[in-house]
Amino acid sequence: MIGGLLLDGIAAGTFRRLGTPPEPWKPTTALATGGLYRFSRNPIYLGFGLTYIGFAVAMDSPTALAMLPPCLIVIDRFVIAREERYLSARFGAEYEAYKGRVRRWL
């Protein structure tokens, strides 16, 4: 859990340093490509996943663990795909080059 929360905090801090909101429903003003974003285009979602795993293990809930893959598939196919279309339209070639260098997850 702590690792996931740290990952989220560091990734969100990168957004704040760039002056762009980490909330996906707010307009993006800068493209984050440094720090954790050199390794993953979505470190916040990775952090959420790690935190979720930590809670599921702490609660001794195999059902919660079993629900993680379907949740991640929905995030990947619908949330991240939508964000990528937005970023591509907003930042064009700069985002496409970044997307070519850095994996979506890891």
Side-chain angles (χ1 to χ4, degrees):
M1 281 186 289
I2 292 170
L5 293 171
L6 283 171
L7 196 60
D8 286 342
I10 292 168
T14 300
F15 278 170
R16 285 192 171 78
R17 279 190 298 285
L18 290 171
T20 192
E23 300 86 5
W25 57 87
K26 292 184 179 178
T28 302
T29 59
L31 187 59
T33 59
L36 294 174
Y37 292 90
R38 289 177 296 149
F39 309 106
S40 171
R41 295 194 315 261
N42 297 286
I44 291 176
Y45 294 125
L46 283 172
F48 287 163
L50 289 174
T51 302
Y52 182 98
I53 289 169
F55 276 116
V57 169
M59 294 184 320
D60 192 27
S61 177
T63 303
L65 279 174
M67 292 304 299
L68 181 59
C71 289
L72 292 177
I73 289 168
V74 168
I75 289 169
D76 186 71
R77 300 292 189 263
F78 297 101
V79 178
I80 293 174
R82 181 175 175 240
E83 289 176 356
E84 288 180 342
R85 286 190 301 273
Y86 168 79
L87 292 170
S88 185
R90 175 87 167 90
F91 296 103
E94 181 183 7
Y95 179 71
E96 292 301 321
Y98 170 66
K99 199 165 113 172
R101 288 190 316 272
V102 179
R103 290 177 163 193
R104 181 181 273 180
W105 290 97
L106 283 177

